[in-house]
Amino acid sequence: MNFLVCISKTPDTTAKISFSSDLKTFNSAGVQYILNPYDEWYALVKAIELKEQLGGNVTICNVGPLDNEQIIRKGLAIGADDAVRIDCEPLSSMQVAFQIAQYAKSKSFDMILLGKETIDYNGSEVGAMLAEYLDLPFVSYGSKLDMNGNVATIERDIEGGTEVLEVATPFVVSAAKGMAEQRIPNMRGIMMAKSKALEVVAPAPFEDLAVVDHYDLPKEKSSVKMIDPENMQELVRLLHEEAKAI
Amino acid sequence: MSVLVYIEHSKGHFKKTAFEAVTYASKIAQQMGTECIALVLGASDHLSDLGNYGANKILNCSASIFSNFDSQVYSNSIAKVANDNGANLIILANSSNGKTLAGRLSVKLKAGSISGANKLPTISGNSMIVSKSVFSGKGVANYEIKSAIKIISLMGNSIKPEQVANNATVESIVIPTATPKITVKSVKTEEGTVPLPEAELVVSAGRGMKGPENWGIIEDLASAMGATTACSRPVADAHWRPHHEHVGQTGVAIRPNLYIAIGISGAIQHLAGVNNSKTIVVINKDPEAPFFKAADYGVCGDLFEIVPRLTQAIKDFKQSH
Ligand SMILES: Cc1cc2nc3c(=O)[nH]c(=O)nc-3n(C[C@H](O)[C@H](O)[C@H](O)COP(=O)(O)OP(=O)(O)OC[C@H]3O[C@@H](n4cnc5c(N)ncnc54)[C@H](O)[C@@H]3O)c2cc1C
């Protein structure tokens, strides 16, 4: 089976977030970027597990500038076979999905995997958009996937529970916690990653329909009110009268 | 012109998120001077309830095919209804299924789409500015949607459902559908509790609980309040609590009215999923716990003494109100 895993980079959660003085752009200088955890821990590792089980090839795909080759190499070190980078700086989920679809159209992937969302913008839309461009079924928030021939049985997270479904290849699936166990790249993987193929593809023309106009910083929290641990009636009173929460 | 709001239901019953979506859509429709049309796929006996929150027209296709969630079948149906009704804005809930449909619809209808909106958009002419919380709550992104058709998925608990005089018409419609490629085998949901993403009151506990055998005091507090329980990641990882209770960056992101964090240190990855809560109470024995900085109310001390005391205070309060 041939697997395509879409990966993206995202600021580390602990990164300090700031914007330009006109609030139009995000200050990326000095920000530590990582491979988006859902893409890495769940989507990529699941594809590698399936390949180990069933044979085939795992390709990773990133839409982004040259800098992103660092996270692409990490994906190769974890165990992907080859990679493609579509060379543009996307401003929207739709742009990402569109570019990947242009690339994937000419290939025959049996399964396209990606994380359930990125941890910076939490859009959670690329998978569905990609599936729509390719006219494929899409399963979101998969937390378990087993193959039987060309039919996958997938458990997906829904509000307050899970849904179990079946779908035949080819399809697109987004991965949530539970799908696979995180793998740490070892020295051999890191060395081998250096010689794996990384193809660079020019983007197709695309016009964005929704882009960030400006950013704001969140409202400052007023400082915490400490309550005497002996006096929980006081906390309940404040929650009722002041916070109007109960 | 119209605003189309797609309504999710569970076996014909609407949840609070459905009424939030209708309220949101109807407020925008009023501002745009157009009608608010609610679409329900699958059978329901409660259709006219949607009129209580401002829907002018309720469309329903009760075909049994919709008891099986296949995003292709669903999105084709919604797109057809959107086209037939000249919808220039589509509102969905920011749920597992809602986000899946939003992505497909945006490609199908060449519509700019923003998921996770947390307040009403700013409308000027044909453009719309939609805000959402980004970077784990450390920023707000304001998007401009420029396309003729626009799609917004609404984050739960972002607007209060508002009742209005009901003058809605209910119409049943037929939508041609193709054979689904996805077959749903089973759906398991916790009975009797409000799912976390929809809960207004959440009682959450972390490693400070020492072990799963101590969770009785958390459940007592939650049941006294009518709250849903949640936990930190190490607690779910150690199987002290079920995986669906895990909140944070790698778990569920929530924004309840009240989040009570008990024996949770407040690591940034935890805060990422909860810091949009309207009111945060932190109970922790360590005065330096980072969570106090994100809290509205703090109680510093031993949770094993404080939590039962709080439960009692809640019970006393409920009796006198
Ligand atoms: C990439 C990544 C993603 C992550 N995603 C998540 C996520 O989604 N959600 C999440 O929760 N974590 C996540 N984490 C883990 C996170 O960094 C913290 O390790 C975790 O949240 C800590 O859980 P905790 O607060 O329950 O435990 P601890 O950090 O061990 O805190 C326990 C707290 O309990 C207090 N305490 C102990 N005994 C008592 C007592 N008797 N009375 C009162 N207070 C007491 C202590 O003072 C302490 O503050 C992630 C980490 C990484 C690296």
Side-chain angles (χ1 to χ4, degrees):
Chain A
M1 294 226 302
N2 287 324
F3 303 92
L4 180 69
V5 182
C6 313
I7 62 169
S8 73
K9 81 173 182 193
T10 160
D12 194 352
T13 335
T14 52
K16 179 145 176 50
I17 300 299
S18 65
F19 306 106
S20 61
S21 55
D22 64 358
L23 295 173
K24 288 287 180 189
T25 49
F26 169 62
N27 286 335
S28 56
V31 169
Q32 172 75 34
Y33 281 95
I34 56 169
L35 209 170
N36 181 44
Y38 292 108
D39 302 340
E40 177 191 331
W41 303 349
Y42 308 127
L44 175 58
V45 177
K46 185 68 200 182
I48 295 168
E49 286 176 359
L50 287 169
K51 178 202 130 169
E52 287 167 354
Q53 204 184 321
L54 308 164
N57 190 80
V58 176
T59 302
I60 48 182
C61 176
N62 172 258
V63 182
L66 182 65
D67 293 351
N68 288 16
E69 294 198 355
Q70 198 188 341
I71 59 136
I72 297 176
R73 290 287 171 206
K74 180 168 187 203
L76 292 169
I78 293 170
D81 297 293
D82 47 46
V84 55
R85 178 173 66 83
I86 303 168
D87 189 19
C88 67
E89 186 96 58
L91 295 177
S92 68
S93 328
M94 204 176 204
Q95 157 90 310
V96 174
F98 174 80
Q99 299 299 350
I100 299 172
Q102 298 316 302
Y103 167 78
K105 247 179 207 163
S106 59
K107 309 275 190 278
S108 56
F109 292 108
D110 300 290
M111 197 187 298
I112 301 180
L113 302 94
L114 72 175
K116 70 166 189 176
E117 63 186 24
T118 55
I119 62 167
D120 48 5
Y121 290 90
N122 314 93
S124 204
E125 289 199 305
V126 173
M129 290 173 171
L130 177 59
E132 185 61 29
Y133 278 121
L134 297 171
D135 197 23
L136 291 176
F138 174 54
V139 181
S140 52
Y141 312 102
S143 57
K144 190 165 186 282
L145 186 160
D146 293 308
M147 290 305 296
N148 186 355
N150 71 335
V151 176
T153 302
I154 303 177
E155 270 183 40
R156 69 185 277 261
D157 294 344
I158 55 170
E159 281 66 30
T162 50
E163 181 179 272
V164 181
L165 57 89
E166 283 181 359
V167 60
T169 58
F171 60 83
V172 181
V173 58
S174 82
K177 187 184 165 195
M179 187 64 120
E181 285 291 332
Q182 183 183 2
R183 287 191 189 183
I184 312 290
N186 57 24
M187 209 51 211
R188 185 160 164 271
I190 294 168
M191 294 311 291
M192 277 168 61
K194 297 199 171 113
S195 57
K196 288 179 178 169
L198 196 171
E199 184 189 357
V200 179
V201 179
F206 178 82
E207 198 189 329
D208 276 306
L209 304 179
V211 292
V212 172
D213 178 75
H214 65 282
Y215 293 94
D216 287 314
L217 288 167
K219 282 193 214 88
E220 285 278 329
K221 268 252 171 200
S222 50
S223 61
V224 55
K225 218 177 241 180
M226 295 306 289
I227 317 283
D228 175 4
E230 301 292 335
N231 191 356
M232 286 300 98
Q233 289 80 3
E234 174 64 2
L235 176 59
V236 171
R237 187 189 69 79
L238 288 167
L239 288 177
H240 178 62
E241 289 174 11
E242 191 176 74
K244 305 202 173 8
I246 55 173
Chain B
M1 266 207 348
S2 67
V3 175
L4 179 69
V5 51
Y6 166 71
I7 302 296
E8 291 180 16
H9 60 95
S10 137
K11 300 193 183 88
H13 295 276
F14 301 119
K15 295 192 240 169
K16 194 184 71 182
T17 43
F19 302 132
E20 289 173 354
V22 180
T23 298
Y24 187 81
S26 125
K27 283 185 183 283
I28 303 175
Q30 276 172 25
Q31 210 185 326
M32 289 169 47
T34 175
E35 65 174 345
C36 170
I37 305 174
L39 170 65
V40 180
L41 298 177
S44 166
D45 294 332
H46 307 280
L47 293 167
S48 62
D49 291 0
L50 300 171
N52 295 341
Y53 299 91
N56 304 110
K57 187 154 84 177
I58 298 147
L59 301 179
N60 175 235
C61 178
S62 61
S64 61
I65 192 169
F66 295 116
S67 60
N68 179 81
F69 183 75
D70 175 308
S71 62
Q72 283 178 298
V73 171
Y74 266 71
S75 60
N76 283 333
S77 305
I78 300 169
K80 175 160 191 324
V81 173
N83 283 329
D84 290 351
N85 290 279
N88 41 3
L89 175 64
I90 304 176
I91 306 294
L92 305 100
N94 194 57
S95 61
S96 309
N97 291 354
K99 281 182 278 188
T100 304
L101 295 170
R104 291 204 95 108
L105 286 167
S106 80
V107 169
K108 227 180 260 294
L109 300 170
K110 298 193 171 47
S113 167
I114 297 303
S115 63
N118 59 15
K119 60 177 192 202
L120 285 163
T122 315
I123 305 169
S124 57
N126 188 37
S127 127
M128 211 177 254
I129 303 277
V130 181
S131 307
K132 70 181 281 186
S133 169
V134 294
F135 300 117
S136 313
K138 290 183 275 186
V140 175
N142 305 284
Y143 289 86
E144 183 185 8
I145 311 184
K146 306 175 193 173
S147 46
I149 304 178
K150 302 173 176 66
I151 300 178
I152 300 176
S153 321
L154 176 67
M155 184 83 180
N157 286 329
S158 297
I159 191 167
K160 269 221 166 330
E162 258 175 49
Q163 300 239 14
V164 296
N166 188 336
N167 49 24
T169 54
V170 179
E171 223 176 277
S172 81
I173 55 172
V174 176
I175 307 173
T177 47
T179 312
K181 292 187 193 150
I182 287 174
T183 314
V184 175
K185 293 288 176 187
S186 66
V187 177
K188 270 178 282 171
T189 48
E190 286 291 304
E191 293 296 326
T193 55
V194 186
L196 263 182
E198 290 152 29
E200 292 198 15
L201 306 174
V202 174
V203 171
S204 185
R207 217 149 48 177
M209 293 299 296
K210 309 278 187 283
E213 65 282 3
N214 296 329
W215 242 264
I217 54 169
I218 300 299
E219 276 160 1
D220 287 348
L221 175 59
S223 83
M225 296 179 63
T228 300
T229 49
C231 69
S232 68
R233 175 172 150 177
V235 163
D237 283 353
H239 303 290
W240 292 2
R241 299 297 293 174
H243 149 70
H244 67 253
E245 282 199 2
H246 160 195
V247 292
Q249 179 192 305
T250 40
V252 189
I254 53 172
R255 53 176 297 154
N257 278 336
L258 176 60
Y259 184 76
I260 304 187
I262 300 165
I264 302 177
S265 56
I268 181 70
Q269 295 90 353
H270 183 87
L271 295 180
V274 304
N275 61 6
N276 280 314
S277 307
K278 296 220 175 69
T279 300
I280 296 180
V281 174
V282 168
I283 301 175
N284 198 302
K285 68 174 181 193
D286 173 10
E288 301 297 320
F291 220 144
F292 283 123
K293 291 202 183 67
D296 299 284
Y297 303 102
V299 187
C300 189
D302 183 1
L303 69 88
F304 293 101
E305 289 168 21
I306 294 168
V307 172
R309 220 176 271 151
L310 176 57
T311 306
Q312 192 53 49
I314 295 272
K315 284 183 179 159
D316 296 345
F317 166 81
K318 293 248 154 150
Q319 268 193 346
S320 59
H321 281 76

